[in-house]
Amino acid sequence: MPTHHEPKLIAGNANLPLAETIARRMSLHRGVNQKLVDARVERFNDGEIFVEVYENVRGEDMFIIQPTSNPANDNLMELLIIADALRRSSAARITAVIPYFGYARQDRRTKARTPISAKLVANMLTGAGIERILTMDLHAAQIQGFFDMPVDNLYASPIFALDVKDQFRDQMDDLMVVSPDVGGVARARELAKRISAPLSIVDKRREKAGEVAEMTVIGDVKGKICLIVDDICDTAGTLCKAAQVLIDNGAKEVHSYITHGVMSGPAVERVGNSVMKSLVLTDTIMPTDEIKKAPNIRTVPTAPIFTQAILNIWQGTSVSSLFEDRTLVPIYESLYHTD
């Protein structure tokens, strides 16, 4: 039996299509009309954010769906203010569903006199009255330790594995999973294990942030279909350079699987002009019109796994069970047909 009353969903403006899809899937699962809570999130003329919730939420189990993507500061403030509005309206529990957790790249001090902004954001979320976090592919797993509350970190690799098995069903023996840096080896190894493929690494040396001086491929990629796996694609400069290095080392094709498509600046244009055959993103960040029109970029949905995770949290059942194929395959069976 659920610990709290009915689960209710509310969303900011960061990714309304994802929130609405989650609501539709919850309606399907529960057999009731699960709409987003009626609320308005507006701005005063000077940019101040104002939230008003029109429905009674007293004693309810509330889930705020709001990634902190671009504009990161505005979307973060929307999340905090929505949480405060719910707390002051006597919600029983507030869970922040943050598909993309912004500021996660600032998880440690890399130089003197720099902040650990991810910890600051964690403190702000706690102070707003949020009692649980549900997110996907944190940039660094240790960020979970920044919170004095439960953090459920979902992984995109099980979804990517289903997509790979569907897209490359006749070429599985030719696949090679590639980590674009040493720090992402664990993430790439997880996908490699799921699809029974070997692993390679592109070792990169940076002179300064955002600029790569040199890249070296560790592993034999000659004649292989390479799948680059990473959590964030921002300007796509490093990704496109890694794809070129793999081709230069004899790779037959290069495809990329990225969880969070930040895709700022010239990213889409770079990907379009690169040697990459395809770039696969999840919809944790709402894709722009430019991304939707790009011929070699496509998105895979995260609503099925987020919906089931929300239901499991509400019902007090396991969230980690969603990392197993026997649980994940049924909720994605309409998209990927497996034997």
Side-chain angles (χ1 to χ4, degrees), residues 36 46 57 77 80 104 112 120 129 145 149 179 243-244 246-247:
L36 295 175
D46 63 352
V57 297
M77 282 304 299
L80 295 170
L120 173 62
M149 68 175 82
S179 173
Q244 185 62 59
L246 290 168
I247 292 293

Side-chain angles (χ1 to χ4, degrees), residues 177-185 187-188 199-206 212 215-216 227-232 238-239 242-243 246 257-258:
V177 176
V178 180
S179 173
D181 53 45
V182 175
V185 169
R187 185 179 296 106
L199 178 65
S200 182
I201 304 168
V202 176
D203 182 40
K204 61 188 177 187
R205 179 171 59 85
R206 292 184 185 273
V212 178
M215 284 186 167
T216 305
L227 309 178
I228 300 176
V229 182
D230 208 355
D231 64 324
I232 296 174
T238 302
L239 183 66
L246 290 168
Y257 281 82
I258 309 294

Side-chain angles (χ1 to χ4, degrees), residues 42-299:
E42 296 182 349
R43 281 162 177 74
F44 294 145
N45 291 334
D46 63 352
E48 280 187 22
I49 297 167
F50 173 74
V51 172
E52 183 176 5
V53 181
Y54 293 124
E55 296 181 26
N56 179 30
V57 297
R58 183 180 298 273
E60 304 290 14
D61 199 358
M62 300 300 305
F63 294 85
I64 310 170
I65 303 170
Q66 177 80 341
T68 54
S69 48
N70 185 37
N73 299 331
D74 283 2
N75 288 329
L76 175 59
M77 282 304 299
E78 277 191 17
L79 173 59
L80 295 170
I81 294 171
I82 292 171
D84 188 70
L86 296 175
R87 179 171 62 90
R88 295 177 188 279
S89 302
S90 301
R93 181 174 67 172
I94 303 170
T95 299
V97 182
I98 312 175
Y100 170 64
F101 184 80
Y103 286 97
R105 286 176 281 184
Q106 300 183 50
D107 63 317
R108 64 195 184 281
R109 296 188 70 193
T110 55
K111 297 178 182 178
R113 297 173 296 281
T114 57
I116 304 179
S117 302
K119 172 58 177 169
L120 173 62
V121 171
N123 291 344
M124 293 166 68
L125 294 171
T126 302
I130 291 167
E131 299 166 62
R132 191 180 195 107
I133 302 292
L134 174 62
T135 187
M136 175 169 279
D137 271 355
L138 283 171
H139 185 62
Q142 66 265 24
I143 292 174
Q144 296 174 78
F146 292 176
F147 293 90
D148 293 322
M149 68 175 82
V151 177
D152 293 302
N153 184 30
L154 302 177
Y155 300 106
S157 57
I159 306 170
F160 287 159
L162 292 177
D163 190 86
V164 169
K165 290 174 183 177
D166 183 67
Q167 295 291 320
F168 301 94
R169 64 175 69 90
D170 300 323
Q171 302 168 294
M172 294 299 291
D173 293 337
D174 297 329
L175 298 181
M176 169 79 81
V177 176
V178 180
S179 173
D181 53 45
V182 175
V185 169
R187 185 179 296 106
R189 187 188 294 120
E190 176 65 22
L191 178 61
K193 181 180 176 182
R194 287 179 178 274
I195 64 173
S196 301
L199 178 65
S200 182
I201 304 168
V202 176
D203 182 40
K204 61 188 177 187
R205 179 171 59 85
R206 292 184 185 273
E207 295 294 344
K208 56 183 179 180
E211 292 186 13
V212 178
E214 184 180 352
M215 284 186 167
T216 305
V217 178
I218 303 173
D220 185 9
V221 299
K222 188 172 293 185
K224 292 289 188 179
I225 298 173
C226 291
L227 309 178
I228 300 176
V229 182
D230 208 355
D231 64 324
I232 296 174
C233 179
D234 192 347
T235 60
T238 302
L239 183 66
C240 293
K241 189 174 287 189
Q244 185 62 59
V245 169
L246 290 168
I247 292 293
D248 293 342
N249 278 264
K252 184 164 64 174
E253 293 179 8
V254 178
H255 304 261
S256 295
Y257 281 82
I258 309 294
T259 307
H260 308 298
V262 177
M263 305 299 284
S264 56
V268 176
E269 182 181 357
R270 281 176 175 169
V271 170
N273 295 330
S274 74
V275 296
M276 267 188 294
K277 298 275 284 189
S278 70
L279 169 61
V280 181
L281 306 170
T282 75
D283 59 355
T284 56
I285 296 174
M286 186 167 59
T288 62
D289 290 339
E290 191 180 11
I291 290 173
K292 292 176 183 176
K293 293 175 183 176
N296 61 339
I297 301 177
R298 60 187 177 88
T299 58

